[in-house]
């Protein structure tokens, strides 16, 4: 998983108001070369949570990013290269993501975070208006 | 229909190691998936400015559809519930990031950040209750609600679906509308049972002029050929039913060029590949053959 995904990901456990950012516990980090595309970064920059990116990069052992950033810095290629490296080239291979509110751990294996929730954590079960759920077990024509 | 995988087992169990490998080593499936995702990307109608977008592939499986996104230069995040499928995706070294997750539990993304979402043959799985705690309606609601939140305003989501019946299609569409999406179903090749494909095209945000649902392929073929054959297509009146049956005329010359053109037009409407009409069409071979 790359930091660019980490920057989008939040915990959706039932009752969690602010599940962002997930804390990273890194055990193994990989680096892979990716083509540099400044347009993509400029387009993505307004959507990024800078603080989460800086903290995430530190957790993966990359501390080159400045503490604060604004859109004027997008002109500098050096800055963009750093963002590019942090966002797209660092891979969290083994480790875990931790929900900031509940402390629930989402394990990361082979670069894939396991975001599956347990039954008691699902929001879809507590929503109001579950009318006649016993009648609607499977929606097929025959049965 | 007994060959629907949804009816056999839940997705995380059905797509085990052997099934996932079978799925990804079949060149027919790879070809179909590539074509479906190509069309889904076309329906997403992203602005053509060469800037890579951030897309979501829901039910990405082994990353077959994601490959099309990569070829078109986009960054993507794939979500799937089957670990075996994701393992194959890792083996194939797909470019996108992968997540193991259940779309029925809602998508865990920050609001307003995704530029578009595609999903190839996945959403119909949500209509099944595989555990006692599953409720299709609530799972669809959680899925579409969280998708609506994480999409940027004006972004589109395109789902290729195989609904089992009309009730399922209605249920999926209604859940999407309840979540606030505008849009509808685009059907490609509606005349053909084999190559007919359904796409749910949803737009996030208030309805504008651009939220009109695009037309399906093979639909206009129907409208222009109707003019030529309208007399044949008309319904049989009651008075016609009693008319003496005409015997089929097959002359020595065979069925003739007009018959061949008619047949070819029919096949074209079904979406089959048909050789073009030329001056050689329907000519008799020379005697030496």
């Amino acid at each position: 998983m790359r930091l660019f995904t980490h920057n989008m990901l939040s915990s959706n456990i039932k009752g969690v108001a602010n599940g962002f950012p997930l804390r990273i516990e890194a055990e193994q980090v990989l680096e892979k070369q990716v083509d540099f595309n400044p347009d993509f970064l400029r387009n993505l920059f307004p959507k990024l949570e800078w603080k989460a990116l800086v903290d995430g990069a530190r957790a993966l052992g990359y501390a080159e990013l400045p503490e604060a950033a604004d859109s004027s810095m997008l002109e500098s290629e050096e800055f963009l290269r750093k963002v590019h490296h942090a966002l797209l080239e660092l891979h969290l291979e083994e480790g875990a993501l931790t929900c900031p509110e509940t402390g629930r751990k989402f394990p990361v294996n082979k670069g894939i975070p396991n975001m599956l929730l347990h039954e008691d954590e699902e929001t879809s079960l507590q929503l109001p208006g579950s009318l006649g759920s016993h009648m609607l077990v499977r929606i097929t024509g025959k049965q | 229909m007994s060959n629907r995988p949804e009816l056999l087992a839940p997705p995380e169990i059905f797509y085990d190691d052997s099934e996932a490998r079978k799925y990804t080593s079949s060149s027919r499936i790879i070809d179909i998936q590539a074509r479906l995702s190509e069309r889904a990307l076309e329906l997403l109608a992203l602005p053509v400015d060469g800037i890579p977008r951030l897309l979501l592939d829901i039910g990405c499986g082994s990353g077959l559809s994601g490959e099309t996104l990569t070829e078109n230069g986009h960054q993507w995040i794939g979500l799937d519930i089957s670990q075996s499928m994701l393992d194959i995706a890792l083996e194939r070294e797909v470019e996108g990031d992968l997540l193991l997750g259940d779309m029925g539990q809602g998508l865990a993304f920050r609001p307003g950040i995704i530029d578009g979402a595609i999903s190839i043959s996945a959403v119909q799985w949500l209509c099944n209750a595989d555990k006692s705690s599953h409720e299709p309606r609530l799972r669809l609601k959680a899925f579409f609600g969280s998708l609506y939140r994480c999409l940027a305003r004006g972004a589109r989501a395109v789902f290729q679906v195989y609904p089992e019946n009309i009730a399922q299609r209605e249920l999926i569409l209604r859940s999407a509308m309840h979540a606030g999406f505008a849009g509808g179903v685009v059907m490609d090749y509606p005349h053909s049972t084999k190559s007919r494909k359904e796409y749910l095209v949803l737009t996030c945000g208030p309805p504008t002029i651009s939220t009109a649902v695009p037309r399906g392929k093979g639909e206009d073929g129907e409208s222009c050929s109707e003019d030529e054959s309208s007399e044949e297509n008309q319904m049989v009146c009651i008075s016609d039913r009693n008319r003496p049956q005409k015997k089929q005329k097959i002359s020595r010359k065979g069925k003739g060029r007009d018959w061949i053109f008619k047949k070819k037009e029919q096949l074209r409407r079904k979406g089959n590949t048909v050789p073009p009409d030329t001056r050689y069409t329907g000519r008799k071979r020379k005697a030496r053959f």
Side-chain angles (χ1 to χ4, degrees), chain B residues 21 86-94:
Chain B
R21 194 161 299 280
L86 292 176
D87 285 344
I88 302 249
L90 282 183
E91 262 175 44
R92 294 159 48 88
E93 298 185 335
V94 293

Side-chain angles (χ1 to χ4, degrees), chain B residues 173-197:
Chain B
L173 204 56
R174 209 169 32 199
S175 317
M177 298 297 145
H178 275 308
F181 284 105
V185 177
V186 173
M187 208 173 306
D188 281 359
Y189 307 116
H191 302 290
S192 160
T193 42
K194 243 184 176 173
S195 51
R196 174 169 52 208
K197 291 287 177 294

Side-chain angles (χ1 to χ4, degrees), chain A residues 1-2 4-5 7-12 20 37 39-40 43-44 47-49 88 91 110-117 119 122-125 127-128 130-131 133 136-142, chain B residues 1 6-7 51-54 75 77 81 86-87 90 95-102 104-110 113 115 127-131 133 135-138 141-142 164-165 168 171:
Chain A
M1 187 195 69
R2 293 172 290 182
F4 121 91
T5 306
N7 212 286
M8 310 290 151
L9 214 54
S10 77
S11 134
N12 65 340
F20 184 83
N37 185 334
D39 281 340
F40 174 67
N43 203 30
L44 190 69
K47 295 179 189 167
L48 285 179
E49 283 283 341
L88 301 174
H91 289 254
K110 290 182 278 184
I112 303 176
N114 181 343
M115 301 303 287
L116 286 172
L117 301 177
E119 276 181 20
E122 287 183 36
T123 34
S124 63
L125 298 177
L127 289 173
S130 62
L131 342 140
S133 59
L136 208 123
V137 172
R138 165 167 278 165
I139 300 159
T140 63
K142 283 162 241 157
Chain B
M1 287 170 78
E6 296 91 57
L7 299 183
I51 298 177
R53 306 279 155 174
L54 173 57
Q75 292 286 347
I77 300 176
I81 196 173
L86 292 176
D87 285 344
L90 282 183
E95 300 265 324
D97 271 1
L98 305 167
L99 297 176
L100 178 67
D102 181 359
Q105 293 177 340
L107 308 170
F109 292 103
R110 279 201 290 128
I113 45 160
D115 297 320
C127 297
N128 290 352
D130 295 318
K131 289 183 197 159
S133 61
E135 220 288 48
R137 228 184 296 176
L138 291 185
K141 186 174 172 180
E164 199 178 350
N165 48 44
Q168 259 193 14
L171 180 78

